[in-house]
């Protein structure tokens, strides 16, 4: 079996006395779409942030494409990488946040181009044509010169997806990308994510959109209280869950 794109083994994370992740194991294969479901406070967002070392885990380890995230191993000990090396690792991982996090003083086109220009030091003549193609891909080619404040929430989130793709990442993480949107705007963002899934992009999506999980996911993970209680194909986890907590959660959201 080929090496997984994402490999979490025995991951623990606490904030003070609050234990948020309690021994999480998770593997995601290249090209796979994994949807993470669970109630608020179950550790889903912390899980995502641990994958690209925005949160340092207390125990266990995280690897992306075979590379240990945030650390290097010397003998039997782990040593944290320097910040520049952690930033280099993050350039291979796109992250789409709940709240868009666009730069308000930059145009849409400049928002998409910013990371390859600053983090990857790629030339403008190479970056801007790619940024325009990505805006076209998410249906916003006509908004290249607009500023974020001139866009709807759904449009801003589509720009955020284009920005994440501008780094040509191995993996894209989505942290509840539709939860801040009005209901009528959710569909346009999910359509872009469906297109990414069809193109073979490796994705981990934290969401409450069970319909999206059923339609697009290769694997569904259910988390509660810092634990992965269940993982499997959508038909198994959503239609025939084995764990009572999963059944209780789904009965309220379906």
């Amino acid at each position: 079996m080929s090496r997984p794109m994402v490999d979490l083994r025995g991951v623990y994370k606490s904030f003070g006395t609050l234990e948020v992740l309690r021994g999480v194991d998770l593997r995601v294969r290249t090209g796979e779409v994994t949807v993470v479901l669970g109630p608020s406070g179950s550790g889903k967002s912390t899980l995502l942030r641990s994958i690209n070392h925005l949160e340092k885990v207390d125990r266990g380890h995280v690897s992306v494409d075979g590379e240990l995230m945030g650390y290097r191993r010397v003998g039997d000990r782990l040593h944290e990488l320097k910040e520049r090396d952690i930033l280099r690792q993050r350039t291979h991982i796109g992250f789409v946040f709940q709240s868009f996090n666009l730069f308000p003083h930059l145009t849409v086109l400049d928002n998409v181009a910013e990371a390859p220009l600053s983090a990857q030091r790629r030339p403008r003549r190479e970056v801007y044509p790619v940024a325009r193609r990505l805006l076209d891909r998410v249906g916003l080619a006509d908004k290249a010169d607009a500023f974020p404040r001139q866009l709807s929430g759904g449009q801003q989130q589509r720009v955020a997806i284009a920005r994440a793709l501008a780094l040509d990442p191995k993996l894209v993480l989505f942290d509840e990308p539709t939860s801040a949107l009005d209901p009528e705007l959710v569909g346009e963002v999910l359509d872009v994510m469906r297109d990414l899934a069809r193109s073979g992009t490796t994705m981990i999506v934290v969401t409450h959109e069970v319909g999206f999980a059923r339609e697009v996911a290769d694997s569904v993970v259910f988390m509660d209280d810092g634990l992965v209680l269940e993982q499997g194909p959508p038909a198994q986890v959503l239609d025939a869950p084995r764990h009572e907590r999963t059944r209780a959660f789904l009965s309220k959201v379906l």
Side-chain angles (χ1 to χ4, degrees):
M1 188 174 179
S2 62
R3 175 177 75 193
M5 174 59 73
V6 179
D7 191 359
L8 281 76
R9 295 179 185 263
V11 170
Y12 287 79
K13 176 64 181 178
S14 296
F15 298 101
T17 59
L18 179 63
E19 205 169 30
V20 180
L21 299 177
R22 301 194 294 136
V24 171
D25 293 314
L26 179 67
R27 279 154 210 91
V28 177
R29 292 189 297 271
T30 300
E32 186 173 82
V33 178
T34 296
V35 170
V36 183
L37 303 175
S40 297
S42 59
K44 305 184 302 295
S45 293
T46 302
L47 173 73
L48 281 194
R49 293 171 65 85
S50 297
I51 291 172
N52 72 345
H53 205 66
L54 283 173
E55 297 290 354
K56 284 194 282 188
V57 302
D58 299 326
R59 289 160 54 195
H61 71 258
V62 179
S63 296
V64 174
D65 199 20
E67 184 176 8
L68 200 60
M69 289 299 298
Y71 298 91
R72 60 186 174 89
R73 190 182 298 278
V74 179
D76 293 331
R77 303 194 66 179
L78 295 180
H79 298 265
E80 189 168 16
L81 296 175
K82 294 180 179 179
E83 184 64 22
R84 67 172 181 270
D85 294 318
I86 295 171
L87 291 174
R88 175 192 57 77
Q89 289 185 322
R90 288 190 189 133
T91 63
H92 300 296
I93 305 172
F95 204 123
V96 179
F97 298 88
Q98 177 180 342
S99 55
F100 323 138
N101 288 4
L102 299 178
F103 296 113
H105 63 289
L106 297 181
T107 66
V108 163
L109 183 64
D110 288 336
N111 263 281
V112 176
E114 174 62 22
L117 289 173
S118 61
Q120 295 179 328
R121 306 294 186 195
R122 287 158 55 187
R124 293 173 63 89
R125 67 180 181 278
E126 174 187 315
V127 168
Y128 275 90
V130 172
R132 290 186 183 279
R133 286 197 296 272
L134 288 170
L135 285 175
D136 184 56
R137 182 175 181 180
V138 300
L140 291 172
D142 60 329
K143 299 294 186 182
D145 297 324
F147 288 89
R149 65 179 179 275
Q150 298 171 305
L151 305 182
S152 70
Q155 290 171 328
Q156 289 186 62
Q157 193 61 295
R158 284 188 280 155
V159 173
I161 293 172
R163 180 182 61 182
L165 296 176
L167 291 168
D168 193 22
K170 301 173 181 178
L171 166 71
V172 184
L173 308 174
F174 295 83
D175 191 7
E176 301 199 23
T178 61
S179 63
L181 302 178
D182 292 332
E184 65 268 22
L185 301 178
V186 168
E188 64 189 60
V189 174
L190 292 181
D191 283 344
V192 171
M193 294 171 65
R194 289 186 187 97
D195 177 68
L196 288 181
R198 286 191 292 267
S199 74
T201 303
T202 309
M203 301 161 57
I204 303 178
V205 184
V206 169
T207 184
H208 292 295
E209 300 290 340
V210 176
F212 174 83
R214 188 185 303 279
E215 177 187 353
V216 175
D218 299 291
S219 177
V220 174
V221 172
F222 178 74
M223 289 188 68
D224 189 40
D225 196 24
L227 297 168
V228 171
L229 296 185
E230 196 152 358
Q231 179 178 6
Q236 183 252 298
V237 175
L238 301 178
D239 298 330
R242 298 187 177 113
H243 200 284
E244 175 56 37
R245 184 67 184 91
T246 315
R247 292 194 288 271
F249 174 81
L250 291 172
S251 72
K252 294 177 181 177
V253 300
L254 289 177

